[in-house]
Amino acid sequence: MKRRGILNADLSGALARLGHTDVVLLADCGMPIPAGVPVIDLALVHGVPRFEQVLDALLEEMVFQHCVAAEEAKTAPAGTWLADRFDAIEYISHSELKQLSASAKLFIRSGEATPFANAALVCGVSF
């Protein structure tokens, strides 16, 4: 059994298969899931697990070189959550973020029920 880190076997395996510049879409429970993108659905009930909890777990395990969020998130709680964790965030329209999600290598659905709690995380390298 793993000692620490992400215990969800499907999520842990999917993260291990990601490479430099691959996109991970971390989403609230309302974001449309694009066809053809592998999904790890962590949502249990509204609010569980929270976007912040999943993001923090991902940041402990992965290197992300870039974060993209909806312009609308700037004035929502998700904007603060992201700004607390990333030095720079690229903002695009929510519609554009939905389009970007179709190119993701992995879609992670949280139980977050706060509007615009979605982010495209671009994988970096650890060296």
Side-chain angles (χ1 to χ4, degrees), residues 72-88:
E72 296 88 341
K74 282 183 177 179
T75 57
T80 301
W81 301 336
L82 292 169
D84 287 347
R85 290 161 177 83
F86 292 96
D87 293 331

Side-chain angles (χ1 to χ4, degrees), residues 29-81:
C29 64
M31 182 76 158
I33 298 171
V37 176
V39 176
I40 304 292
D41 191 343
L42 302 175
L44 180 61
V45 296
H46 281 175
V48 179
R50 302 220 30 190
F51 179 88
E52 287 179 286
Q53 292 172 314
V54 179
L55 180 58
D56 287 341
L58 292 172
L59 290 170
E60 283 291 317
E61 299 242 346
M62 301 293 294
V63 175
F64 296 111
Q65 66 184 29
H66 193 65
C67 175
V68 181
E71 186 77 33
E72 296 88 341
K74 282 183 177 179
T75 57
T80 301
W81 301 336

Side-chain angles (χ1 to χ4, degrees), residues 8 10 17 24 34 37 43 45-46 48-49 57 60 65 67 74-75 78 86 98 100 109 112 114 116 121 125-126:
N8 181 291
D10 293 331
R17 288 185 288 277
V24 176
V37 176
V45 296
H46 281 175
V48 179
E60 283 291 317
Q65 66 184 29
C67 175
K74 282 183 177 179
T75 57
F86 292 96
K98 289 178 188 177
L100 177 61
R109 183 175 178 246
E112 188 62 59
T114 302
F116 306 111
L121 308 172
V125 292
S126 60

Side-chain angles (χ1 to χ4, degrees), residues 89-109:
I89 302 164
E90 177 185 350
Y91 289 101
I92 59 178
S93 73
H94 189 60
S95 178
E96 289 172 314
L97 187 63
K98 289 178 188 177
Q99 291 173 349
L100 177 61
S101 72
S103 67
K105 295 284 185 180
L106 182 63
F107 186 102
I108 303 170
R109 183 175 178 246

